[in-house]
Amino acid sequence: MWDVLLTDCQAATMTTGGSSYGLIPDAAIAIEGERIAWVGTARDLPRADAHETRRLDQALVTPALIDCHTHLVFGGDRAAEWELRLGGASYEDIAAKGGGILSTVRATRAASEEELAQSAARRARVLAGQGVSTVEIKSGYGLDMVNECKMLRAAAVAGKSANIRVVRTFLGAHIVPPEYQNDRGAYIDLVCNEMIPAMARERLADAVDVFCDTIAFTTAEAGRIFAAAAASGLPVKLHADQLSDQAGALLAGKYRALSADHLEYVSEKGIAAMAAAGTVAVLLPCAWYFLGGGKNPPVAALRKAGVPIAIATDCNPGTAPVLSPLTALNMACTSFGLTPEEALTGMTRNAAAALGLQAKTGTIEAGKSADLAVWNVSSPAELAYWIGAPLLRDRYYRGRSMGMV
Ligand code: NIG
Ligand code: FE
């Protein structure tokens, strides 16, 4: 007997090969323990016995959303810096004067692990309340062993308290910390020789990321860090070609990165390298918007090359103070020209791939974790269409209803 049977619903399974959105108009979904046991058209149900049957009044069920790029753990905020930017200062100017990421580093170092966990848990609960059951959280505002570990432990605590799966990424190479301003090589040595092996040994991180740009690390430096990650058995991701073309995507392809993220300035060669390596392009329209909407990422070229596209909030205090995944979907369509189906695929199936979790979550398929979102909408396109509407009716995480209504 199944544990739970969801009926009288439409299911956007987000699987490939079938109808648009993998839509099953009159669907049933059976859950056994933490997993999806069966999904299909209700009339094909092999049996209808379940401990509990929930009729959903034709609500839409999708895979729970996956926010695959966030910096959810941080101290302080950067509202004052935003005011400066509105007055004409650029993100790069502010960074050059010791503000930007470095100002969040100061606030994060000053915060206790408990304070960081609590503020991140509040943010994670907001994401969960919008249908997210998996969130990636990066370190990168500690920039020394103690504070990077503190951030990653806080990320795990935040996930538990919000009933959400957290995937942790070590971003020690976010920017050169103040104490190494005159010896960046020594900081990269520390990242490669001590921090990455410790993150792997202590299982504090699932992947390693680098911010590769003019204000952060060069492509050659990122290459050294990727080699260290590979030696420790950790997959890599890259903040690539956001503010300028640094050939970041080429490097991501070379190291078979799970994803290359931002990509406003990615080159044709970079796109080809990503396509060959199966690297996911994570586009971050909220950061693009909040930085003033400069160059668009080349969506048509990514599509043409067959690079899978994911969408995330990039929630962080500097470039994307955003806790609304559905707003990110809307912006992906209105600003970057994705179709609503591409956008939703980008926050489900392709977001799972960007985290290496495609076998576990991201689609509604038998055997996958029963991570589901139930929405009060009549068509999947509405998820990207409304801005700020309370559309979520319920969220399932590993088979359990979180009762969000
Ligand atoms: O994804 N680009 C680098 N990292 C973040 C910004 C972090 C910050 O400004 O605090 C991003 O946009
Ligand atoms: Fe980021």
Side-chain angles (χ1 to χ4, degrees):
M1 188 180 288
W2 285 320
D3 292 325
V4 178
L5 185 61
L6 306 179
T7 59
D8 190 18
C9 59
Q10 319 172 52
T13 63
M14 306 313 288
T15 49
T16 49
S19 53
S20 151
Y21 296 94
L23 194 71
I24 304 173
D26 186 12
I29 302 169
I31 299 173
E32 218 161 44
E34 294 190 0
R35 291 176 190 282
I36 298 166
W38 189 88
V39 56
T41 300
R43 66 170 179 279
D44 297 336
L45 258 175
R47 55 183 218 254
D49 53 333
H51 288 293
E52 197 184 339
T53 297
R54 297 183 191 147
R55 299 189 66 83
L56 298 179
D57 322 307
Q58 280 303 299
L60 175 74
V61 185
T62 66
L65 302 182
I66 299 170
D67 196 351
C68 70
H69 179 141
T70 84
H71 308 250
L72 220 59
V73 174
F74 58 84
D77 68 79
R78 305 237 292 277
E81 171 186 311
W82 179 55
E83 288 183 294
L84 289 178
R85 284 204 291 106
L86 290 173
S90 74
Y91 184 61
E92 288 96 327
D93 290 342
I94 291 168
K97 291 188 180 125
I101 294 172
L102 284 180
S103 85
T104 301
V105 170
R106 288 188 286 276
T108 304
R109 286 179 173 180
S112 70
E113 188 169 319
E114 202 181 358
E115 286 165 345
L116 291 176
Q118 275 175 11
S119 58
R122 278 197 296 276
R123 295 177 197 119
R125 278 194 284 271
V126 176
L127 293 177
Q130 313 229 350
V132 174
S133 279
T134 302
V135 64
E136 185 255 17
I137 302 180
K138 301 175 195 296
S139 65
Y141 295 123
L143 309 187
D144 60 29
M145 184 76 93
V146 168
N147 286 294
E148 287 290 299
C149 292
K150 177 176 86 176
M151 286 188 72
L152 291 168
R153 283 192 301 266
V157 173
K160 282 213 174 70
S161 109
N163 277 313
I164 189 169
R165 180 183 295 108
V166 169
V167 176
R168 294 180 294 178
T169 301
F170 171 64
L171 179 58
H174 198 184
I175 205 157
V176 177
E179 56 278 18
Y180 284 93
Q181 287 300 335
N182 298 318
D183 194 1
R184 52 192 297 129
Y187 184 63
I188 295 161
D189 288 345
L190 180 71
V191 167
C192 293
N193 302 336
E194 294 179 39
M195 294 168 99
I196 289 174
M199 298 299 155
R201 200 172 50 240
E202 309 289 330
R203 297 186 183 283
L204 278 169
D206 305 292
V208 170
D209 195 348
V210 176
F211 181 18
C212 180
D213 223 306
T214 46
I215 62 169
F217 294 89
T218 66
T219 317
E221 291 166 340
R224 272 194 64 199
I225 294 163
F226 278 6
S232 282
L234 289 172
V236 296
K237 309 170 79 69
L238 193 68
H239 281 73
D241 308 323
Q242 177 189 13
L243 308 168
S244 56
D245 176 15
Q246 299 289 317
L250 268 177
L251 181 77
K254 179 172 166 203
Y255 280 89
R256 308 192 78 76
L258 288 172
S259 69
D261 304 34
H262 288 287
L263 298 174
E264 279 82 345
Y265 287 85
V266 67
S267 65
E268 282 289 342
K269 276 188 180 159
I271 292 173
M274 288 175 65
T279 297
V280 177
V282 178
L283 305 185
L284 303 164
C286 303
W288 173 91
Y289 160 81
F290 200 71
L291 285 173
K295 188 177 176 323
N296 273 29
V299 166
L302 289 167
R303 246 186 222 133
K304 192 166 164 222
V307 175
I309 297 175
I311 301 295
T313 62
D314 194 14
C315 177
N316 76 75
T319 65
V322 175
L323 287 169
S324 175
L326 296 186
T327 302
L329 293 189
N330 177 275
M331 288 185 181
C333 298
T334 53
S335 300
F336 290 173
L338 267 68
T339 66
E341 183 176 1
E342 285 174 324
L344 187 59
T345 303
M347 215 173 257
T348 54
R349 189 174 79 232
N350 289 352
L355 300 177
L357 292 181
Q358 58 272 41
K360 183 179 260 182
T361 188
T363 58
I364 306 181
E365 282 178 279
K368 286 205 178 173
S369 181
D371 303 340
L372 306 168
V374 184
W375 307 94
N376 287 320
V377 297
S378 47
S379 74
E382 283 186 69
L383 298 178
Y385 161 81
W386 294 101
I387 300 179
L391 304 181
L392 190 72
R393 166 169 166 164
D394 197 359
R395 175 178 74 93
Y396 286 75
Y397 173 48
R398 295 166 67 182
R400 281 178 46 217
S401 160
M402 295 294 141
M404 303 299 300
V405 195

